[in-house]
Amino acid sequence: MTGMHVDPAFYQERIAPFLPPRVLDFHAHVWRKSDWHAVPWKSGARGGTYMVADEDYPVERLSEDGRRCFPDREYRAVCFGYPTPSADNEKDTKYAAYAGATHGMYPLMIVGSPLGVPADVIRQRLEAGRFLGFKVYLPWHGDDYGRTTIQEMLGPNEMDIAQDLGLVVLLHVPRTGRLADPEVQEGVRWLSEGWPGAKIVLAHCGRCYMPSEMERAIGSLRDLSNVYLDSSMVMDETVLRMVFDGIESSRVLFATDFPVAAMVGRRVRVADHWVDVVTSDAPASAFRVRAEGISATYMAQEIALAVVTAGRAAGLREERIRQVFFENGMSVLRSVRNGSAVKRVEEAWRA
Ligand SMILES: [Zn+2]
């Protein structure tokens, strides 16, 4: 994604004035094809072509995309590997740990019941990789979730450790109904109340990219104070307005989902599904429309603009909006092992 169509004035005028000096992206990937069993979108697996992306996305590329999208700010990211059966979990975990030694990176490790990794091995990998918590494994490809429940994705084997150490647990919720599905809401409550010391972060605002979904979802989180929402790939101002009206803004964490959000374009609602409208240099994928001759910017910037616009519409003070981009996420990270985990990561950053 070359970004040759992007006019820097849009960022400078519309977004930069509302950002803090450092931007923390709470959801970003790093991966290498050499750590995969198969390339998801070439494997023929059901759901495999749902989100076609770069086959190699090393941490250097992530840092570059962060710098490109937020050129006058320091970019930091919570990063993790490839969370589906396509990846070799052990190799992927090692690479995420390596990525975490790069300046600005806070690594999570991918765990989940279907991986069958014993608790003592999880603890040992956490230590060795200086991980700040878990990104929950997705035992499916793309949108082929079937009837998976949260209770099948992880359990006491993982969550008792998260409770003990106060870890981040970043969860991409399953099922077509997303966080609007009562079954999913039940699962989130089970995690939140069962392990109140864990910090549960729901990726993509619980995958509610559209207002009709968020409208039925946000109320379920109101009293779950250890549940947070990451904004990755959410570009709908009404969705984010509902979030800010429904829960404390301190529970909202800016996030991109790089490499996906490094595309130039915007996710929009068409009838009852989202569609990514992108410039013509993006690879073909499901729910992706490649358009010629449109002026557009990086999706990461569109997410930032939607957060700012929704926050202002909801009447948040500018300081509260700024905190969504750094402080809110940092205070979650600083609560892991009472701050010692963040310190350990930052001390290990290569100069
Ligand atoms: Zn992601």
Side-chain angles (χ1 to χ4, degrees), residues 24 29 43-44 109 159 198-199 208 220 226 279 297 336:
L24 175 67
H29 295 265
S43 65
M109 69 181 271
M159 290 305 295
K199 287 86 194 184
C208 295
S220 70
N226 63 330
T279 47
T297 194
V336 177

Side-chain angles (χ1 to χ4, degrees), residues 12-84:
Q12 286 305 339
E13 288 161 19
R14 303 283 305 278
I15 301 163
F18 300 95
L19 297 181
R22 288 174 177 155
V23 169
L24 175 67
D25 172 356
F26 215 89
H27 181 147
H29 295 265
V30 289
W31 61 60
R32 298 185 305 185
K33 190 168 68 171
S34 55
D35 298 336
W36 289 354
H37 302 299
V39 175
W41 37 94
K42 293 178 183 163
S43 65
R46 273 176 56 176
T49 56
Y50 181 68
M51 185 52 70
V52 177
D54 298 288
E55 296 182 5
D56 269 300
Y57 194 66
V59 63
E60 294 78 14
R61 291 272 314 279
L62 171 59
S63 297
E64 243 175 72
D65 281 335
R67 269 195 304 274
R68 194 187 355 251
C69 293
F70 306 102
D72 54 350
R73 300 301 202 270
E74 184 188 331
Y75 174 78
R76 296 190 181 187
V78 171
C79 69
F80 39 88
Y82 201 83
T84 81

Side-chain angles (χ1 to χ4, degrees), residues 27-29 31 80-81 83 135 138 170 172 203-204 230 232-233 256-260:
H27 181 147
H29 295 265
W31 61 60
F80 39 88
K135 157 74 169 142
L138 311 180
L170 182 63
H172 176 111
H204 320 295
D230 94 36
S232 57
M233 291 307 285
T256 65
D257 202 19
F258 281 139
V260 181

